[in-house]
Amino acid sequence: DPIRKLGKEVPSDLANLKNAGIVKLCIPGILAIQMPRFTTYNNAQNEIDQLNKTLNSFMWNRSEGHEVLNSFPFLIVCDDSHFTSASLRNFLWVAFTRCNPSHDIYGVNEFTENKHWGCRGPLIIDARIKPHHAPPVEKDPAIEKRIDRLFEKGGSLFGKI
């Protein structure tokens, strides 16, 4: 059967990975793995190497391990797996705005062959907030309340949007 079946729930063996926090399902085939805050790229490399060893060991030392990881081809390392997995919008925002492809892409059992990079297990993207990132934009409830009045019946923007 050439079609891969994507995982739809967090495998129990991956629920509490060593040196990682909570693992959550984002969408079928994609897991968010909460890890400690990013500090430096040297530390990140060590943390991802440890995660890679754990996942690689799981993948090759358990009869069902390869099949389980095969059903999750994409792993996102993040600061908050609850937020990342809460919606498709959150997943896309975290995965693709907090990642520098030249620095933050890894893979389980990665290799280079004929100058081409690849991995035999899941692709891992380190999408944790880095020190050079701008702080997150958060809504101010007081301002939101003042703006909402403009859209209510009798407000200057009622029925415009």
Side-chain angles (χ1 to χ4, degrees), residues 24-27 32 80-88 90-91:
K24 302 285 280 179
L25 179 74
C26 293
I27 59 174
D80 183 347
S81 59
H82 291 288
F83 174 82
T84 303
S85 65
S87 69
L88 181 60
N90 289 2
F91 161 70

Side-chain angles (χ1 to χ4, degrees), residues 66-86:
H66 187 272
E67 189 60 38
V68 168
L69 284 184
N70 191 42
S71 66
F72 292 98
F74 190 44
L75 307 175
I76 242 355
V77 170
C78 58
D79 296 301
D80 183 347
S81 59
H82 291 288
F83 174 82
T84 303
S85 65

Side-chain angles (χ1 to χ4, degrees), residues 8-27 29-35 51 54-55 68-69 72 74-86:
K8 295 182 180 170
E9 59 184 51
V10 177
S12 59
D13 285 345
L14 298 183
N16 294 306
L17 292 172
K18 183 179 178 183
N19 300 326
I22 299 164
V23 179
K24 302 285 280 179
L25 179 74
C26 293
I27 59 174
I30 300 176
L31 296 175
I33 302 174
Q34 187 170 311
M35 289 187 63
L51 176 63
T54 301
L55 293 172
V68 168
L69 284 184
F72 292 98
F74 190 44
L75 307 175
I76 242 355
V77 170
C78 58
D79 296 301
D80 183 347
S81 59
H82 291 288
F83 174 82
T84 303
S85 65

Side-chain angles (χ1 to χ4, degrees), residues 18-157:
K18 183 179 178 183
N19 300 326
I22 299 164
V23 179
K24 302 285 280 179
L25 179 74
C26 293
I27 59 174
I30 300 176
L31 296 175
I33 302 174
Q34 187 170 311
M35 289 187 63
R37 293 184 72 110
F38 178 94
T39 54
T40 67
Y41 276 105
N42 284 337
N43 287 344
Q45 181 68 57
N46 292 334
E47 292 164 344
I48 297 296
D49 285 347
Q50 183 61 47
L51 176 63
N52 197 334
K53 271 187 203 172
T54 301
L55 293 172
N56 198 28
S57 170
F58 173 78
M59 189 167 157
W60 300 112
N61 293 339
R62 299 174 196 248
S63 59
E64 74 282 357
H66 187 272
E67 189 60 38
V68 168
L69 284 184
N70 191 42
S71 66
F72 292 98
F74 190 44
L75 307 175
I76 242 355
V77 170
C78 58
D79 296 301
D80 183 347
S81 59
H82 291 288
F83 174 82
T84 303
S85 65
S87 69
L88 181 60
R89 169 184 260 163
N90 289 2
F91 161 70
L92 293 171
W93 176 260
V94 169
F96 300 110
T97 64
R98 297 180 182 169
C99 170
N100 177 351
S102 69
H103 290 62
D104 298 322
I105 304 255
Y106 305 90
V108 174
N109 202 7
E110 60 190 4
F111 63 92
T112 303
E113 186 176 303
N114 298 321
K115 301 179 188 164
H116 295 277
W117 181 89
C119 57
R120 291 180 176 84
L123 181 71
I124 301 171
I125 292 184
D126 185 350
R128 294 177 289 178
I129 295 173
K130 313 302 187 293
H132 60 274
H133 289 162
V137 177
E138 296 180 6
K139 294 179 181 181
D140 181 331
I143 292 174
E144 289 287 312
K145 189 174 182 180
R146 289 194 348 232
I147 291 171
D148 287 344
R149 285 186 286 181
L150 298 173
F151 294 94
E152 294 172 357
K153 190 170 185 175
S156 62
L157 297 175

